[in-house]
Every structure is written in structure tokens, then in C-alpha cells.
């Protein structure tokens, strides 16, 4: 079969022929219907130094996957060949306290995980291939009616990651509140839709690209701002001087973190999702009183079920552009150049 492999750090992926996987006991092989291209893959190709994460290339890229059950390993029950499924991407040890409740990103025994702190497409083989080996059937979530694998694939990360970040801030997203989405790319545009579908907050979107701001408005943003020196002031004006209750930074650069602090309301949340390499000095008087600052990593399996429900009901609808496997490298290039809107989904 064909597979898009990352051969090493600081290198471009290669489409090569590899053996088709066969499932061992408890495992499942999925025929891939869609595999989303995430900006984290660009960080893998260009930014990560050896040792930055506890796993290494080579592996097959693609950590946002959905398809159909192709082959079942011994002992797997509750799934049928041909059934459409989403692949829950973070793969922990399966037995620690976090994994037992389906929160694999925060696995506490990563030494026993297929790729410590990672998953398929992040250390272990991912879904940018004809087939993907899923090492534990518990990682598969049957697709609800109304959702096909191409539409479901981006929901497993570009949907799940913002959903998890927004969900933990729900108590602050009451009527009258304001949420800011910084970076309206693959994750950010779905984040705006999730805010609109699950909260009463007003939504301000911030990006450097005009096309991203137009997409933000299509997704329901109440205000779309070009990132610049006056952005925090504009957000303060929009909020009657108070600042935004929840800031979701899908970039994570020095400039966007500083914007987040400057635009945040007291007792607000500043959540860092983007892996842009920025840092933030935090001192008693350098941030608003009781501002909670946190990172988030992906989301839980139960949350993926919730996101898929939003997708199946049309309440969340990622804007996707599809590419054949041969053109996956083009999709990544467009993402890097800022000429891609929404999410690229590779259809093998
Ligand atoms: P993307 O390339 O699709 O979107 C990024 C967006 O940010 C683009 O629209 C770009 O124009 C905008 N942007 C860049 N610099 C900006 C700035 N200074 N101000 C405002 N906007 C700016 O990327 P994506 O796939 O949505 O991923 C976004 C980030 O989230 C990446 O760093 C990725 O690695 C990270 N990520 C984190 C997690 C997690 O679990 N924490 C999961 C997935 C992705
Ligand atoms: Zn990702
Ligand atoms: Zn675990």
C-alpha cells in the first residue's frame, strides 16, 4: 500500500510503498476514508529538534483519521467489517487512571503507550496511507448517521482540540461574555463554530490573513480583526472596556500570547493551543487579576463522541478541501504559505 512517511526530523515527507498491516489480537485495521493535514505536521517537518518529543521518525503521517473497519484482530467484538469509524488519535497505555476514563493525552504511563505521549501519525503510523493499524479497538468511535469519513476526519483533531479547550471554559462563556479566537486556520475556524453551537458568547476572531477573517465571518464570528498593534484596544472597545472572558490562542507565538494578556478580562481564561514556540512572562501585576493561563493537548474520547454528534447534526461543519495522497505535500505547502482555507483532508 501507499504511505506518506516522515523519514526524519527536519525533512519533507515521502510517499512510498509499504506492507499492508495485519491486525494482531485486540487490534483493527482501518481503510482510510479521510486523513486531515494539521499544522503540527509542519512543526514536525520543520521545527522539532531531536529530543523535543519522546518518539522519533520514521513513521506515517496523519493523526486526524476516519474510514471503515477493514480487518479485525482476534478477540475484537462490537465492530463489523465495513463499518464507518473515526480514529481517536492520542494513544496512551490503556490502563492508567487517565486512559481508563478515555483521557489518553494525559496518560501517566507513557512508557507503555505505542508512542509515548503521541499516537497514530505522531510517533506511530498514522492515516496518510491506504490503511492504518489501530493498536487497540477502544480507539475507534463508530460514526453517527449523517457523517462520512471525509467530514469526520478533521473533527478528530481540528474539532476535538478546540472542543476540549472551549468545554473547560464553558462556565465563563455565559450570555454577555466574549471569546476571542486567535488564528482562524484548521482548528480556529472549527473553534468559532463550536463556540457558536455550544455557548452564548460573542466571538471575536483575529488573524493576519484576509481570507481567514472572511472564513471567520462565515463561521459566525461577530467581529473579525486583522492582527496588529491596535488589536487589544479594539477587543477592549468591543467589550465595553472589560476585556474578553476567554482567549483561545491557536498560534502560540510571543505576539499572540502578549495580545491574549492585553485583551483578557480579570478572572478570564487564556488557553494556549498553538505550538508557535512563544513564551509569556507571568507576574502578579503583569497579567489581569485571577487570569487563568493554561495549555491544552487534544481531547478525550468521550469528548470526541460529543464532537461527532455536533458534526452529524450539522452544527459544526469544518470547511475542508480534499487532496489525493499524491498531492498531500501540496496541501502542506499551501498551509505553510497561508493559501489554504480551513482544513486539507487527504483522501487516499
Ligand atoms: P493552520 O495553519 O491551519 O492555522 C493557523 C492560523 O493562524 C492561520 O490562519 C494563520 O494565518 C494564523 N496566524 C499565524 N500567525 C498569526 C498571528 N501572529 N496572529 C494571528 N493569526 C496568525 O494551523 P492549525 O492546524 O489550525 O494549527 C494551529 C496550531 O495549533 C499549530 O501550532 C498546531 O501545531 C497546534 N495544534 C495544537 C494542538 C494541541 O493539542 N494543543 C492540536 C492540534 C494543533
Ligand atoms: Zn493536530
Ligand atoms: Zn495511560
Amino acid at each position: 500500500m501507499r504511505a506518506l512517511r516522515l523519514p526524519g526530523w527536519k525533512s519533507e515527507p515521502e510517499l512510498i510503498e509499504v506492507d499492508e498491516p495485519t491486525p494482531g489480537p485486540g487490534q483493527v485495521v482501518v481503510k482510510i476514508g479521510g486523513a486531515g493535514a494539521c499544522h503540527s505536521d509542519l512543526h514536525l517537518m520543520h521545527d522539532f529538534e531531536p529530543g523535543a518529543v519522546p518518539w522519533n521518525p520514521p513513521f506515517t503521517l496523519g493523526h486526524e483519521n476516519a474510514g471503515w473497519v477493514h480487518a479485525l484482530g482476534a478477540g475484537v467484538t462490537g465492530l463489523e467489517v465495513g463499518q464507518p469509524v473515526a480514529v481517536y488519535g492520542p494513544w496512551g497505555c490503556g490502563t492508567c487512571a487517565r486512559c481508563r476514563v478515555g483521557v489518553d493525552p494525559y496518560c501517566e504511563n507513557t512508557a507503555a503507550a505505542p508512542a509515548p505521549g503521541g499516537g497514530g501519525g505522531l510517533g506511530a503510523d498514522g492515516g496518510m496511507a491506504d490503511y492504518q493499524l489501530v493498536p487497540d479497538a477502544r480507539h475507534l468511535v463508530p460514526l453517527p448517521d449523517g457523517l462520512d469519513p471525509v467530514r469526520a476526519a478533521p473533527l478528530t483533531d481540528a474539532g476535538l482540540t478546540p472542543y476540549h479547550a472551549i468545554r473547560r471554559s464553558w462556565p465563563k462563556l455565559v450570555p454577555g461574555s466574549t471569546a476571542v479566537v486567535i488564528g482562524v486556520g484548521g482548528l480556529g475556524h472549527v473553534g468559532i463554530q463550536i463556540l457558536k453551537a455550544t455557548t452564548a458568547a460573542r466571538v471575536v476572531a483575529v488573524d493576519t490573513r484576509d481570507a481567514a477573517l472572511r472564513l471567520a465571518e462565515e463561521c459566525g464570528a461577530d467581529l473579525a480583526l486583522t492582527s496588529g498593534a491596535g488589536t487589544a484596544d479594539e477587543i477592549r472597545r468591543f467589550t465595553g472596556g472589560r476585556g474578553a472572558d476567554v482567549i483561545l490562542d491557536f498560534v502560540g507565538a510571543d505576539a499572540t500570547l502578549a495580545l491574549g494578556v492585553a485583551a483578557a478580562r480579570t478572572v478570564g481564561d487564556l488557553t494556549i493551543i498553538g505550538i508557535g514556540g512563544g513564551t509569556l512572562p507571568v507576574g502578579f501585576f503583569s497579567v489581569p487579576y485571577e487570569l487563568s493561563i493554561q495549555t491544552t493537548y487534544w481531547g478525550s474520547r468521550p469528548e470526541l463522541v460529543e464532537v461527532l454528534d455536533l458534526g452529524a447534526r450539522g452544527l459544526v461543519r469544518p470547511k475542508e478541501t480534499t487532496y489525493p495522497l499524491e498531492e498531500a505535500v501540496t496541501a502542506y505547502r499551501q498551509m505553510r504559505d497561508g493559501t489554504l482555507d480551513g482544513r486539507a483532508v487527504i483522501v487516499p
Side-chain angles (χ1 to χ4, degrees):
M1 68 166 189
R2 301 161 306 158
L4 188 76
R5 307 273 295 170
L6 184 70
W9 297 120
K10 310 258 180 190
S11 59
E12 293 291 327
E14 298 168 345
L15 186 62
I16 60 170
E17 278 294 317
V18 299
D19 290 340
E20 198 179 304
T22 48
Q27 302 182 332
V28 179
V29 171
V30 172
K31 179 176 164 50
I32 294 295
C38 178
H39 201 113
S40 297
D41 298 333
L42 286 182
H43 294 312
L44 297 181
M45 293 172 209
H46 304 295
D47 302 332
F48 280 24
E49 301 288 344
V53 285
W55 34 266
N56 287 297
F59 55 86
T60 301
L61 288 169
H63 57 268
E64 294 194 335
N65 308 307
W68 301 270
V69 172
H70 178 68
L72 297 169
V76 176
T77 55
L79 291 168
E80 284 172 26
V81 171
Q83 184 176 358
V85 286
V87 181
Y88 176 61
W91 297 343
C93 72
T95 54
C96 75
R98 299 280 194 238
C99 289
R100 279 191 187 282
V101 292
V103 192
D104 287 50
Y106 304 138
C107 172
E108 290 173 320
N109 184 17
T110 55
L122 297 167
D125 286 341
M128 291 209 181
D130 293 303
Y131 300 96
Q132 182 185 20
L133 177 67
V134 176
D136 189 329
R138 75 188 174 93
H139 298 310
L140 296 179
V141 179
L143 291 190
D145 288 345
L147 208 52
D148 64 45
V150 171
R151 280 185 56 206
L155 294 173
T156 65
D157 178 19
L160 177 57
T161 300
Y163 182 74
H164 172 74
I166 290 163
R167 198 183 197 287
R168 72 198 297 288
S169 290
W170 271 351
K172 295 183 182 180
L173 293 167
V174 295
S177 68
T178 299
V180 175
V181 168
I182 305 175
V184 189
L187 272 65
H189 87 286
V190 185
I192 294 169
Q193 296 179 13
I194 291 167
L195 284 163
K196 284 288 164 183
T198 67
T199 81
R202 290 177 181 78
V203 178
V204 179
V206 179
D207 205 291
T208 49
R209 300 182 298 117
D210 287 344
L213 298 180
R214 283 197 297 275
L215 177 59
E217 283 167 347
E218 280 168 34
C219 292
D222 298 279
L223 179 67
L225 299 173
T226 306
S227 192
T231 310
D233 288 341
E234 289 182 80
I235 293 168
R236 289 216 166 262
R237 263 198 301 282
F238 182 76
T239 55
R242 290 188 296 267
D245 299 82
V246 174
I247 312 247
L248 301 154
D249 184 349
F250 293 99
V251 180
D254 284 339
T256 56
L257 294 171
L259 167 61
V261 167
R265 186 180 185 182
T266 52
V267 202
D269 281 351
L270 169 56
T271 303
I272 305 165
I273 303 130
I275 310 173
T279 54
L280 183 64
V282 176
F284 194 89
F285 293 112
S286 70
V287 298
Y289 291 137
E290 281 201 44
L291 178 67
S292 297
I293 301 174
Q294 57 261 311
T295 59
T296 56
Y297 178 41
W298 223 327
S300 72
R301 191 189 181 289
E303 287 167 340
L304 177 56
V305 175
E306 295 170 11
V307 175
L308 294 174
D309 183 61
L310 289 173
R313 292 158 64 200
L315 293 169
V316 169
R317 178 78 172 88
K319 177 178 181 178
E320 70 252 338
T321 310
T322 57
Y323 298 77
L325 202 41
E326 295 75 18
E327 286 174 26
V329 172
T330 308
Y332 283 118
R333 194 175 307 124
Q334 290 175 345
M335 186 191 293
R336 193 190 56 199
D337 296 345
T339 56
L340 182 75
D341 264 350
R343 202 54 149 186
V345 178
I346 310 307
V347 179

